[in-house]
Amino acid sequence: MEFEEAPSPVDPEVRAYIYSLVSALGGTGTDEDGRYVLGDDALACLKDLKKWLKLYDEKANRLDVARCLAEANLVEGDLLEILAAWPEEATDDKVKSKIALACLELLVPLTWPIEKNDMQMTVNHHRHIPYIQLAQTSYKRAVLESQSKTILRTAVRIGLPSIAIPMSERTTRDEGIIKLILYLFRNITIISTPGEGKEGPTSRSATIEAFHHQDVLALILTICSNMGEDFNSQDIVILELLFHLLKGVSPEKLFLDKAQLEKHGSNQLGALLTKEKNMHRSYAKNAPSRHNRFGTMIWVKRDQPGKVSTVSGQDSLKDGQHTLSKMDQSKKWNKPKQRSREVEKANDRFDVPVSLTNNANTHLRAFVEEFLDSSFNPLFNHVRRAIEREADRVLEIHTQQFFYLISWFLEAERVRRRKKQEAEKKPKNNKIAETFEADSFALIASVLTQEAFVLLNRFMQDRLDMKAWREVNAGTRCFTQVLLIVHDMAESSLEEDQEIAENIQNRIFYEETTHDRIIGILRGYKDQGFGYLDSCTELSHVFLRMLERYSRENVDLQVRSKRRARKKRKHEAGVIANEGDADAAANDEDAASEMEDVAEAERVSRERKFDFNRFASKFMTQSCIDTFVAFTKFYHDLNVEQLKRAHRFFYRVAFKQEHSVMLFRVDIFALFNRMIKGPEPLDQTSSVYGEWDELVRQLIKRMVKKMQERPELAVEMLFSKIPSTVFYLEYGYEKQTMSSKPRAPAALEVRGAMTREEQIGVVVAALYENKLDAVEWIMKVLSNAASERQSWEAETAARRAEKDSSAEGVGAESKAPSIAVCPDTEERRIAIFKDAKLRLLMTLAGLERLGIDDEPDAAWIIPSATTARQLHETHEIVQKHHSEPVMEYGEEDPMTAEEMLRRKPTERVRRAAYDDDLSGDDGIRSDGNDEILLFPAGGPTDTGPRTAAAALEKLKQKRRRRIIKPTSDIEDGAGGLDDETREYRRKTREANDLEKRKKIKSTEFAYDSEEDPEADKLFFEREEMRRKGHAKKVMEVLRAGMVEGKGKRKNADDIVKAKEKTKKRRLPTESESGKDEDVEMADDSLSLRVQEISDETESGEEDTPLSTPLEELPQERVLKEIPVEVQSSDDDSGISHGVVSDRLDEDNGLEDGDEAPVVLPSRRRNRAAMVLESDSD
């Protein structure tokens, strides 16, 4: 049987060309003792092979040439032999140097890593990539194992002439050579074999040792330390090389010496053996023996009648709990399929740990120390600037590598400092003490600048918004290490480092957006992997601890938060002159009101005092707790620090923030029980086992106590807690929320002086683009309303004609009924309330709104006064502008219809600039410098006896001045005063009135702060005693008057003489306060009574005079107007028993049997009398 030969994956013609070129390049022969001999046209063959790679593979997107070169063994059989045959003594040989450079130009593309996603892969790629990747592994092995050939050192010798040239004198060819050798080192570093141990031929340890022995690490340090001075465009290549050289290496293990590494390895071995022993112990409890290996199957009755479940295995007969557990293990869960995500490139992953040999660990530690001392600041400062200006050589992946390397080197610096401090405590170990000499943090200052923080924050926020979780992981690691290094700086012995740390913490914690970003990163975990889970929990733990400590030290810590706000644009315009064009003034006023009223929503920043408890409460959400629960599920793989991190978070939730209800879930308690009681519990010898045990016990106690208080918790433990549920479980009642009432939009108007038709056209044009259906709805409403109103008018006219023909009196005509406007859809109903343009169009169309503006369901109607003709005209106007809208208005500076609309200004009182009567609500002219009055004038002020006596004395002096004042002055004052005097008097009156208002201490705004029944009782008893004492004094005065009246009876002649002697006095009224004119008394009888009481007070006691002006009266005595009954007869006795005497009897509290005072008769006058009445009763 003959087998058919499989078709070749490569075109035979292409294979023939490639094989012929490889054969012509050279080979080994017996004549040369097995040495490699170049062909006659070796340089031309190398150039042809380079052209084939570039023109066929790259341009055609194929890998046929690379496959043929791998099959022909070009790298191991020819290129490496040519490079190894170039001795160091023949460095100046130009022909050999050109051939070596040509070999290097072929070696770089052949070792270039192939990274293509599924969308870029073709059939040809699927056919060739596995073979080429395997060939690249063999290329790296051949390069690294050729210790005697020193291929890497030869590559360094190729680039040394170009490196030695100053940067200003280098050509493009020199820059290309330097990049070529750096790309070769990068490719060698990237190529790796999956699953290879730390001692494999292509492992990281082998790469580091080869780089150290062949001076590659020394070349990297030279270029990095001179970055920006002698090198410019090589920064990104160096960044990639360092990333692939250091990723996955633990800085903690890197700075361990040989003895510590051996001890650490033995500890790891012991931990693994202990873990295995625990696993065997838990398995041995239920392990089968030789006597129970027989087949067993049982039925387990379920809760539903008639249904059972089968469980196999004799170990299920042990107990019921084990039976149920085994039944649960047999269940299968069909996990829902998630959408396919882009597979991460293996070369870009940095969370896979890598182990190193002792020699590689020593060489890499020396390289890292020298890099931190000399090359850290130049390299990362230069790369940061390239990223900020978005240079062409910078790709997206380079930003991730940049921040990961910062975090790695910062962690290495922290470990180095800690090892130095430990070495200083051990004076015997002088060797380690001499190794670490770093004291200042200036060696890493380039990543602690404000520019670096801005770049880091922007990178984290952008990648978080795009959900690029691997980049977020790199930024999170970097930010965590920055916080930790700042914490070490704050504890440094150097004062300069402490001040820098204080400033950095202030800048970091000042921005509230940073706080929110930390919470967003923690909440955003779903299934991004353990690396992201570890970094986000570490960041939140470190940030919370540092912020809590910093807020305690700085009590007045301020943070800048961004909120939505309304900002009004202020219009700076001059004051309109008193004289000018009225139209110009009106236009300026319209423009000013428009600029004042137009408001825009923008992001504004404001400072507020920081509250740590408020910030920490944001971590008490279900998503944050779920993230830490997912992290704790890996408790078998967590170290002591990670277990402490999870423990501190749960302790903060349950006890510091008092949100233990958030942890009352069945899955959380099952996890905690498994950690403590098993199966597979924590190692009891661990230092954190006791802390976890105590935490779990306290949580169970709180859960039992809370379940006794809230039996509903038994159900809620099955679910996650929403805020309303948490509030109810905490306090026992639901949280009351107030719903905000919707507000109507601001009213609009059309700017300028336009007719109603033009205004409707502007609004229709504004609605034309996006809301044309609203205009059509308005047209339909107007058309239907016009038809309905026309029918009603016709009916009314017919009834009127019928009444006229029947010769009956025509009654009052009835008004037309209002027509309700009903929206056709729910969206229209909402638009009628929220759309300001539609509301303006409805208003211009003659529709009216019923109810208040902020009522969403208020009705719109067409009023009764609108006739059918008016509705038809409005409909025609709207239809006209609907058919032919006018989109722009104005000729010189045209404005759109949108710009023609503005907010309607609020109504305010407008006065001329020359108006002197510019007074406020209180009637006082305001010049902008007046003090704010505490209380309005609410009535006379309560005063005591001394104030009343002072007022009486003041009144007497005023009366004397009036008596002395000549009549001619009064007459001159009535009409002969000039304007300056009047202005002076007006200002004086205003000043006196203002001073008097400032002294007001109103009781209208005084309220009892506490309700004390005993104090109220004492207060009323004292008032009652005062009232009785006052009444007693009044009775004594009245009795004295009656005794005098009995002893001396006045006749009619005496009354007439008394009336002639009594002068007319004028009492200032409230409306004429402050004027110098007097007011005539209302009644002569009252004047006699005033004279009589005045005589009594002058004879014995002083009291407030009845003729005291209103402003000076005490609060106990007020003016009341009492009508006087005028008798038709001339009997004087009728007047004496009128209303005045009755009122006086009531006020003075006279009882039956007491003799009333005699009121002298007066002339008959139809006026009202003004008497004084005490308000003590």
Side-chain angles (χ1 to χ4, degrees), residues 579-776:
E579 297 179 0
D581 189 8
D583 294 337
N587 294 335
D588 292 344
E589 179 106 9
D590 293 342
S593 62
E594 177 198 357
M595 296 301 293
E596 290 175 358
D597 294 335
V598 172
E600 61 179 4
E602 63 175 12
R603 301 288 294 183
V604 297
S605 301
R606 63 179 63 176
E607 289 187 353
R608 64 173 179 83
K609 188 175 181 180
F610 177 74
D611 184 6
F612 178 77
N613 290 328
R614 177 185 175 187
F615 170 71
S617 63
K618 296 181 180 179
F619 285 88
M620 308 302 119
T621 59
Q622 202 66 55
S623 55
C624 294
I625 293 175
D626 290 342
T627 302
F628 271 92
V629 169
F631 179 69
T632 312
K633 289 180 180 179
F634 296 94
Y635 64 92
H636 283 299
D637 303 323
L638 302 181
N639 55 28
V640 175
E641 293 298 328
Q642 292 170 333
L643 287 173
K644 284 184 178 180
R645 184 193 312 164
H647 175 272
R648 298 300 185 270
F649 178 80
F650 291 127
Y651 178 81
R652 181 183 297 274
V653 173
F655 301 102
K656 282 191 174 183
Q657 298 296 325
E658 295 295 337
H659 280 73
S660 56
V661 178
M662 301 292 295
L663 301 179
F664 293 166
R665 276 175 24 197
V666 174
D667 58 335
I668 296 178
F669 276 101
L671 173 63
F672 290 167
N673 182 70
R674 188 165 63 251
M675 292 175 63
I676 304 302
K677 301 297 182 181
E680 300 180 0
L682 280 173
D683 185 9
Q684 296 185 3
T685 60
S686 176
S687 59
V688 295
Y689 179 82
E691 297 178 0
W692 275 99
D693 188 18
E694 182 66 21
L695 174 66
V696 173
R697 287 195 298 104
Q698 294 298 330
L699 278 177
I700 293 176
K701 286 182 179 180
R702 288 204 171 191
M703 186 266 295
V704 173
K705 183 178 179 181
K706 181 63 68 174
M707 188 171 293
Q708 293 175 355
E709 297 176 359
R710 310 277 186 270
E712 301 87 354
L713 182 60
V715 179
E716 293 297 336
M717 286 189 67
L718 300 173
F719 310 101
S720 299
K721 310 295 187 299
I722 59 178
S724 59
T725 305
V726 173
F727 187 89
Y728 176 78
L729 294 176
E730 287 284 353
Y731 302 103
Y733 58 90
E734 295 183 357
K735 188 176 183 180
Q736 302 296 327
T737 57
M738 301 295 294
S739 59
S740 59
K741 187 176 181 181
R743 297 177 57 185
L748 300 179
E749 67 177 6
V750 182
R751 69 174 71 236
M754 287 189 175
T755 62
R756 176 172 169 268
E757 180 178 353
E758 293 174 342
Q759 293 180 4
I760 293 176
V762 171
V763 182
V764 171
L767 294 169
Y768 193 82
E769 294 183 358
N770 300 324
K771 302 173 183 179
L772 188 59
D773 56 336
V775 180
E776 296 174 352

Side-chain angles (χ1 to χ4, degrees), residues 648-929:
R648 298 300 185 270
F649 178 80
F650 291 127
Y651 178 81
R652 181 183 297 274
V653 173
F655 301 102
K656 282 191 174 183
Q657 298 296 325
E658 295 295 337
H659 280 73
S660 56
V661 178
M662 301 292 295
L663 301 179
F664 293 166
R665 276 175 24 197
V666 174
D667 58 335
I668 296 178
F669 276 101
L671 173 63
F672 290 167
N673 182 70
R674 188 165 63 251
M675 292 175 63
I676 304 302
K677 301 297 182 181
E680 300 180 0
L682 280 173
D683 185 9
Q684 296 185 3
T685 60
S686 176
S687 59
V688 295
Y689 179 82
E691 297 178 0
W692 275 99
D693 188 18
E694 182 66 21
L695 174 66
V696 173
R697 287 195 298 104
Q698 294 298 330
L699 278 177
I700 293 176
K701 286 182 179 180
R702 288 204 171 191
M703 186 266 295
V704 173
K705 183 178 179 181
K706 181 63 68 174
M707 188 171 293
Q708 293 175 355
E709 297 176 359
R710 310 277 186 270
E712 301 87 354
L713 182 60
V715 179
E716 293 297 336
M717 286 189 67
L718 300 173
F719 310 101
S720 299
K721 310 295 187 299
I722 59 178
S724 59
T725 305
V726 173
F727 187 89
Y728 176 78
L729 294 176
E730 287 284 353
Y731 302 103
Y733 58 90
E734 295 183 357
K735 188 176 183 180
Q736 302 296 327
T737 57
M738 301 295 294
S739 59
S740 59
K741 187 176 181 181
R743 297 177 57 185
L748 300 179
E749 67 177 6
V750 182
R751 69 174 71 236
M754 287 189 175
T755 62
R756 176 172 169 268
E757 180 178 353
E758 293 174 342
Q759 293 180 4
I760 293 176
V762 171
V763 182
V764 171
L767 294 169
Y768 193 82
E769 294 183 358
N770 300 324
K771 302 173 183 179
L772 188 59
D773 56 336
V775 180
E776 296 174 352
W777 175 72
I778 290 291
M779 293 169 54
K780 181 179 179 181
V781 169
L782 292 175
S783 177
N784 297 336
S787 302
E788 183 178 348
R789 186 57 54 86
Q790 187 174 4
S791 302
W792 185 88
E793 291 177 355
E795 182 181 357
T796 304
R799 291 181 178 178
R800 185 183 303 109
E802 182 179 355
K803 290 181 180 180
D804 292 342
S805 61
S806 61
E808 295 180 358
V810 180
E813 295 184 0
S814 61
K815 296 173 61 176
S818 301
I819 302 176
V821 178
C822 300
D824 52 351
T825 60
E826 181 66 19
E827 291 78 7
R828 189 83 63 216
R829 184 187 68 81
I830 298 174
I832 289 175
F833 177 71
K834 292 186 176 181
D835 193 349
K837 299 175 186 177
L838 179 58
R839 291 163 66 99
L840 177 59
L841 179 59
M842 296 173 69
T843 304
L844 293 174
L847 280 66
E848 294 183 358
R849 180 181 175 86
L850 301 179
I852 59 178
D853 291 339
D854 291 338
E855 184 62 33
D857 297 329
W860 286 77
I861 63 169
I862 297 177
S864 304
T866 306
T867 62
R869 181 180 179 182
Q870 294 174 347
L871 292 173
H872 279 298
E873 293 176 355
T874 306
H875 178 266
E876 292 176 357
I877 294 172
V878 176
Q879 187 175 13
K880 172 186 174 182
H881 290 285
H882 175 267
S883 303
E884 300 175 356
V886 180
M887 295 299 181
E888 292 186 353
Y889 293 85
E891 297 179 356
E892 296 181 357
D893 189 8
M895 300 175 63
T896 62
E898 291 279 351
E899 296 174 348
M900 289 295 295
L901 299 179
R902 68 176 181 186
R903 289 185 59 179
K904 190 175 182 180
T906 57
E907 297 181 0
R908 52 183 179 270
V909 179
R910 299 178 61 182
R911 296 185 177 91
Y914 51 81
D915 190 1
D916 291 337
D917 192 17
L918 296 177
S919 60
D921 297 337
D922 52 359
I924 300 175
R925 182 183 179 89
S926 175
D927 56 355
N929 299 323

Side-chain angles (χ1 to χ4, degrees), residues 946-1015:
R946 295 182 179 179
T947 308
L952 179 61
E953 184 64 25
K954 184 177 179 181
L955 178 62
K956 290 179 180 180
Q957 294 178 2
K958 188 174 182 180
R959 289 175 179 172
R960 296 191 191 103
R961 288 196 301 268
R962 289 181 180 176
I963 295 173
I964 297 172
K965 187 174 182 180
T967 309
S968 60
D969 294 344
I970 300 177
E971 293 177 357
D972 293 342
L977 295 178
D978 54 357
D979 294 340
E980 294 181 359
T981 304
R982 291 177 179 176
E983 181 67 18
Y984 173 75
R985 289 185 176 183
R986 184 185 62 78
K987 291 183 177 179
T988 303
R989 289 194 301 269
E990 291 179 356
N992 294 336
D993 193 10
L994 180 60
E995 189 67 24
K996 185 166 53 181
R997 288 167 58 86
K998 290 180 181 179
K999 295 179 181 179
I1000 292 175
K1001 303 190 185 314
S1002 177
T1003 58
E1004 295 180 7
F1005 301 94
Y1007 304 97
D1008 294 336
S1009 59
E1010 296 181 359
E1011 295 182 1
D1012 190 357
E1014 295 296 332

